[in-house]
Amino acid sequence: MMEVKIKTIVESEDALHIDGVENVCFSIDKKYLNNIIPKEGDIVIIYFINGFGTPIRGMSLNGVQLYYLTDEDLAQQHEEQCKRYKDKRRRDFTKIEPTLNKMFELLPSLLQQRILMYRHFMHEFRELDEFYELVPMFLGYKMYRLCYSNDVHIFSKKVLEFEVVKYIKTHRFLKKFHPTWNQVDFARAFAGAIYADRTLLSKNSFDVKELKHSKVMFFPNCSAPLSGTFCVPRKKHIVEYMMKKS
């Protein structure tokens, strides 16, 4: 539970976005206000699921309870949020699919195999996850190409110093997207995985022995820190993918 004194209020279509004098920021959905209008100086008590930093389950304003969600309410809310998120991803995908297809075609076969494996095992990977994975892979490949050196130390230094924002703004495909810092960090690390696999990069076909030792194929998905790792255990999935492909 936390007590917050309202400092400023900014209204949007569905919510009030509040800054507290204690530098705590939060939002109140309008559907919970019941015609009560918060104002500067009012006291909001916030109830968290499990302490500060965890999701909010309820609020009261000047001693009047606005709402308090049960565990069942929270589960339903989470399910509804996930559905809205997936629906938006599907809608967005229809707009960016042509660009993603062109980017995929420009990748060497080794990197395409990584995407194809995800498509093979993951239902709706294309609609829900491909944007988040393909864009930083493409950026990492461009970093690899532009920073390449036979000296791994020089290559690593160039990758670290690569001016990502400037490059994205001038690239015909990447300028259409706004990669997150997580995607940019992934791209830098993925460029190193490509460097480790550089002897495989020029090949157009592979056997299972080659791919199950590939750094590119084993490298975790970009969204792993946010939503978990794809295709685990990875070696088992690589072998099964290759067997079904052959």
Side-chain angles (χ1 to χ4, degrees):
M1 185 177 73
M2 173 180 286
E3 183 177 295
V4 180
K5 187 175 183 179
I6 296 176
K7 180 180 179 181
T8 60
I9 302 174
V10 176
E11 184 175 357
S12 65
E13 182 178 351
D14 300 316
L16 300 181
H17 307 282
I18 295 174
D19 284 348
V21 296
E22 302 84 356
N23 293 320
V24 175
C25 304
F26 61 96
S27 298
I28 306 177
D29 285 351
K30 289 182 178 178
K31 65 182 180 182
Y32 294 131
L33 290 174
N34 298 319
N35 297 318
I36 300 174
I37 309 299
K39 60 184 183 303
E40 181 182 342
D42 282 352
I43 301 297
V44 178
I45 294 180
I46 304 172
Y47 301 93
F48 299 97
I49 292 177
N50 191 27
F52 180 71
T54 62
I56 295 171
R57 75 184 311 156
M59 293 185 195
S60 66
L61 178 67
N62 297 328
V64 177
Q65 183 170 295
L66 298 178
Y67 71 98
Y68 190 90
L69 303 179
T70 65
D71 290 344
E72 291 76 13
D73 294 332
L74 290 166
Q76 182 178 348
Q77 178 177 273
H78 176 71
E79 184 177 337
E80 291 171 353
Q81 288 173 341
C82 288
K83 184 180 184 303
R84 288 196 297 270
Y85 171 77
K86 289 182 178 180
D87 288 344
K88 184 179 185 302
R89 277 289 182 98
R90 292 186 187 99
R91 291 193 302 271
D92 291 346
F93 178 74
T94 61
K95 300 173 186 176
I96 63 176
E97 183 180 7
T99 301
L100 293 179
N101 288 342
K102 291 175 184 176
M103 292 168 69
F104 176 84
E105 291 166 4
L106 290 172
L107 292 175
S109 180
L110 176 64
L111 274 62
Q112 289 180 349
Q113 298 307 310
R114 176 181 165 91
I115 292 294
L116 290 171
M117 181 178 68
Y118 289 156
R119 290 179 185 176
H120 175 78
F121 286 108
M122 299 176 62
H123 178 60
E124 291 193 301
F125 169 77
R126 291 218 71 194
E127 294 84 354
L128 300 182
D129 298 291
E130 189 158 309
F131 153 74
Y132 202 85
E133 300 301 324
L134 181 58
V135 169
M137 280 180 55
F138 187 89
L139 176 58
Y141 175 59
K142 292 300 182 181
M143 286 185 184
Y144 164 79
R145 292 284 302 273
L146 294 168
C147 299
Y148 185 82
S149 169
N150 288 326
D151 187 321
V152 66
H153 300 293
I154 294 175
F155 168 76
S156 299
K157 186 173 186 295
K158 285 184 176 180
V159 169
L160 287 173
E161 295 174 350
F162 190 81
E163 295 186 44
V164 175
V165 175
K166 181 178 179 181
Y167 180 72
I168 288 173
K169 286 181 178 179
T170 60
H171 193 278
R172 57 175 175 152
F173 295 140
L174 291 173
K175 68 182 179 181
K176 299 178 182 180
F177 304 104
H178 302 281
T180 66
W181 283 112
N182 180 57
Q183 288 176 304
V184 171
D185 288 343
F186 172 93
R188 293 188 194 278
F190 191 68
I194 298 172
Y195 189 89
D197 277 354
R198 60 193 181 279
T199 56
L200 293 178
L201 210 59
S202 60
K203 300 189 68 171
N204 290 320
S205 61
F206 308 90
D207 61 41
V208 68
K209 292 180 181 178
E210 292 174 310
L211 284 193
K212 72 179 183 179
H213 297 295
S214 161
K215 298 294 184 184
V216 162
M217 294 298 288
F218 265 87
F219 204 80
N221 48 292
C222 181
S223 59
L226 308 173
S227 55
T229 308
F230 297 164
C231 297
V232 177
R234 185 59 64 91
K235 184 179 287 188
K236 175 179 179 293
H237 284 77
I238 292 172
V239 171
E240 185 176 336
Y241 162 69
M242 289 299 294
M243 291 304 183
K244 290 193 176 182
K245 181 184 172 186
S246 61

